[in-house]
């Protein structure tokens, strides 16, 4: 499970920002008990939500975590890995820094990397298998010998790994590629991170059909969308001699009649798209990171996804959900109880110095406090600075020639 994630000098983020899943006194019972060697237990939240105004940096916090996972396993996307802070007249030319604290197989680790477009400047990995820190390796491009392995805690052919790693590639990713017995389980956990953006993939029906299972049918049928069944066509459904000319696809049955996906509502398509990532995360105890969870989705269904991760009987593998949202209804009471605990709600604000990420708990909200109304009233910040009717007044002034 992810305990903490830090980022510095990435897109709209200039100064270090940190997101934490570690439960505090503001958690009202949804935290999971996580055993950690040798005989400790941590209380970790299964959910974290980020709210903020448009262009405040919510998505950049999520993108930073996606990029960090890609770096750790030696894979990058979205046009390149280095996107330093650049806002207004400010432009940093220093390394981007990512670091995280997490637990794999009941051992706590801390891993970090600092990089730019040319090289990895710094990299480090610490483990705490007996409660005390073990330095598995450090890397500093400014040293005559960049790699150090103090204490010999990292076993195997370290010299071979060191000689093969490129200047612009993380040492951790090479260890995973070569199936290093200590490093591979760590990168496997990073590789399990599941990113989901608001854009749906092309040929959604084909994507779904390849990995559809009966649980998805049940979740579609019971989502009150007027669907009474699902028709799945896979490549081998009508195979003759091992070859099928039928493309894979999914069609929903309405009163027993199949309908093409392109005729379904955006909300229905979004629900279909989210089901596979949600189930994969729950099955594998993975971290699901969703940008705009409420995008085209009814608040009731978005709330049900959150409840799946908070439900110990459903989330037996201690999967985690991190998402951004504008749906303030999820901040309030849902059927008499909180959908999000007070230490699971985070906010982003942006000014000339970049994005600031902070937790609701910093405002010390009372247990009985109405978080939804408090946020709308501007009590916690992280909302557009507008008075009711202000934009209409702007249009009226413009129509009268007043600048």
């Amino acid at each position: 499970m992810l305990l903490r994630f830090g980022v510095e000098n990435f897109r709209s983020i200039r100064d270090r920002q940190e997101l934490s899943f570690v439960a505090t006194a503001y958690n009202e019972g949804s935290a999971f008990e996580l055993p950690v060697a040798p005989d400790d237990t941590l209380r970790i939240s299964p959910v974290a939500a980020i709210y903020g105004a448009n262009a405040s940096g919510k998505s950049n916090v999520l993108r930073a975590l996606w990029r960090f996972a890609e770096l750790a396993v030696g894979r990058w996307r979205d046009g390149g890995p280095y996107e330093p802070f650049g806002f207004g007249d400010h432009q940093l030319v220093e390394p981007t820094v990512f670091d995280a604290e997490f637990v794999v197989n009941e051992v706590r680790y801390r891993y970090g990397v600092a990089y730019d477009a040319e090289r990895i400047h710094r990299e480090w990995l610490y483990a705490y298998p007996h409660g005390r820190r073990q330095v598995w390796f450090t890397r500093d491009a400014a040293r005559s010998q960049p790699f150090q392995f103090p204490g010999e805690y990292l076993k195997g052919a370290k010299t071979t790994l060191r000689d093969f790693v490129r200047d612009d590639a993380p040492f951790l990713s090479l260890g995973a590629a070569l199936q290093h017995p200590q490093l591979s389980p760590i990168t496997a956990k990073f590789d399990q991170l599941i990113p989901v953006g608001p854009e749906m993939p092309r040929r959604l029906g084909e994507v779904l059909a390849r990995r559809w299972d009966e649980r998805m049918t049940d979740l579609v049928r019971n989502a009150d969308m007027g669907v009474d069944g699902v028709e799945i066509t896979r490549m081998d459904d009508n195979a003759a001699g091992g070859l099928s000319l039928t493309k894979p696809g999914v069609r929903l049955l309405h009163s027993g009649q199949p309908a093409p996906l392109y005729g379904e509502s955006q909300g229905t398509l979004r629900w279909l798209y989210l089901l596979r990532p949600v189930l994969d995360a729950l099955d594998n105890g993975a971290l699901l990171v969703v940008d705009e969870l409420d995008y085209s989705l009814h608040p009731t269904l978005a709330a049900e996804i959150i409840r799946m991760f908070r439900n110990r009987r459903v989330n037996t593998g201690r999967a985690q959900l991190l998402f951004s949202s504008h749906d303030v209804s999820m901040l309030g009471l849902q059927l008499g109880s909180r959908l999000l605990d007070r230490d699971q709600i985070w906010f982003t604000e942006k000014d000339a110095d970049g994005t600031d990420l902070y937790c609701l708990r910093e405002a010390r909200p009372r247990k009985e406090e109405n978080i939804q109304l408090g946020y709308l009233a501007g009590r916690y910040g992280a909302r557009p600075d507008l008075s009711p009717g202000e934009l209409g007044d702007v249009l009226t002034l413009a129509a009268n020639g007043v600048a």
Side-chain angles (χ1 to χ4, degrees):
M1 297 184 78
L2 180 64
L3 308 183
R4 298 181 181 88
F5 170 66
V7 52
E8 177 183 338
N9 188 25
F10 178 75
R11 296 172 68 96
S12 68
I13 301 168
R14 188 186 73 175
D15 302 324
R16 176 182 167 81
Q17 306 298 319
E18 182 175 284
L19 177 81
S20 175
F21 279 89
V22 178
T24 70
Y26 291 99
N27 190 282
E28 297 175 31
S30 68
F32 283 39
E33 299 291 330
L34 181 65
V36 179
D39 55 4
D40 197 5
T41 301
L42 299 176
R43 295 175 61 246
I44 307 301
S45 285
V47 176
I50 303 178
Y51 284 81
N54 293 112
S56 63
K58 299 186 302 297
S59 296
N60 287 338
V61 175
L62 306 186
R63 287 191 183 104
L65 188 51
W66 297 348
R67 181 59 47 77
F68 184 38
E70 291 169 350
L71 275 167
V73 300
R75 180 182 67 245
W76 15 78
R77 298 179 302 193
D78 302 332
Y82 181 58
E83 297 180 274
F85 174 79
F87 182 65
D89 295 330
H90 301 276
Q91 181 69 47
L92 292 186
V93 292
E94 298 175 358
T96 292
V97 182
F98 298 139
D99 64 88
E101 186 175 356
F102 50 94
V103 174
V104 178
N105 298 330
E106 299 189 3
V107 176
R108 182 165 60 95
Y109 296 91
R110 293 191 67 180
Y111 172 68
V113 60
Y115 70 98
D116 61 17
E118 302 296 328
R119 63 176 54 86
I120 303 295
H121 286 263
R122 299 186 307 281
E123 190 180 4
W124 59 96
L125 177 62
Y126 309 145
Y128 301 80
H130 305 293
R132 296 182 179 180
R133 189 179 78 169
Q134 295 179 353
V135 180
W136 282 16
F137 73 83
T138 63
R139 176 184 190 178
D140 189 338
R143 295 190 302 230
S144 58
Q145 295 293 334
F147 291 95
Q148 293 183 1
F149 306 92
E152 297 296 320
Y153 296 112
L154 189 66
K155 309 301 181 184
K158 297 183 287 292
T159 302
T160 302
L161 291 174
R162 181 193 63 198
D163 293 342
F164 274 98
V165 69
R166 302 192 315 269
D167 289 345
D168 62 347
F171 180 83
L172 182 65
S173 67
L174 180 63
L178 298 178
Q179 295 296 304
H180 188 281
Q182 288 172 278
L183 300 181
S184 294
I186 296 173
T187 52
K189 183 57 66 173
F190 278 106
D191 204 25
Q192 283 184 331
L193 184 143
I194 305 172
V196 176
E199 306 85 7
M200 283 182 287
R202 297 178 59 188
R203 299 179 178 176
L204 176 62
E206 296 181 31
V207 172
L208 292 171
R210 292 190 180 98
R211 300 193 58 222
W212 191 274
D213 67 32
E214 288 306 311
R215 295 175 300 172
M216 297 171 68
T217 300
D218 293 338
L219 291 171
V220 172
R221 186 185 293 121
N222 288 279
D224 195 25
M225 297 174 172
V227 176
D228 51 38
V230 179
E231 182 179 275
I232 308 296
T233 303
R234 292 189 171 90
M235 289 297 292
D236 59 351
D237 279 356
N238 298 305
L243 177 65
S244 172
L245 300 179
T246 304
K247 289 185 178 181
V250 172
R251 294 196 297 179
L252 304 185
L253 305 180
H254 298 268
S255 300
Q257 297 299 314
L261 275 187
Y262 61 77
E264 301 289 349
S265 72
Q266 286 298 307
T268 298
L269 295 177
R270 178 68 171 175
W271 180 245
L272 290 172
Y273 176 40
L274 285 172
L275 291 182
R276 187 69 263 165
V278 166
L279 291 174
D280 283 346
L282 293 172
D283 288 344
N284 299 302
L287 172 61
L288 175 62
V289 183
V290 184
D291 196 6
E292 299 186 38
L293 178 64
D294 54 313
Y295 180 77
S296 296
L297 199 62
H298 193 277
T300 299
L301 294 178
E304 282 301 296
I305 291 176
I306 296 171
R307 290 191 182 99
M308 291 182 198
F309 283 82
R310 288 170 57 103
N311 189 328
R312 290 177 175 82
R313 292 175 299 173
V314 175
N315 188 5
T316 57
R318 299 188 185 95
Q320 292 172 290
L321 170 65
L322 170 63
F323 68 92
S324 65
S325 178
H326 290 287
D327 182 3
V328 297
S329 70
M330 293 191 289
L331 299 176
L333 296 179
Q334 299 268 343
L335 301 176
S337 62
R338 291 192 189 277
L339 186 65
L340 295 166
D341 291 338
R342 289 168 290 166
D343 61 353
Q344 296 171 344
I345 300 169
W346 294 74
F347 301 112
T348 52
E349 283 193 327
K350 189 174 72 174
D351 57 19
D353 293 325
T355 293
D356 183 30
L357 173 70
Y358 57 97
C359 186
L360 171 65
R361 68 173 181 269
E362 296 179 22
R364 299 182 178 179
R366 302 181 309 277
K367 186 173 183 178
E368 68 278 6
E369 189 166 321
N370 190 319
I371 307 301
Q372 179 180 357
L373 291 182
Y375 176 64
L376 290 173
R379 189 177 305 160
Y380 319 119
R383 60 180 290 273
D385 186 16
L386 291 172
S387 302
E390 180 177 339
L391 295 184
D393 293 340
V394 170
L395 290 179
T396 301
L397 293 172
N400 293 327
V402 179

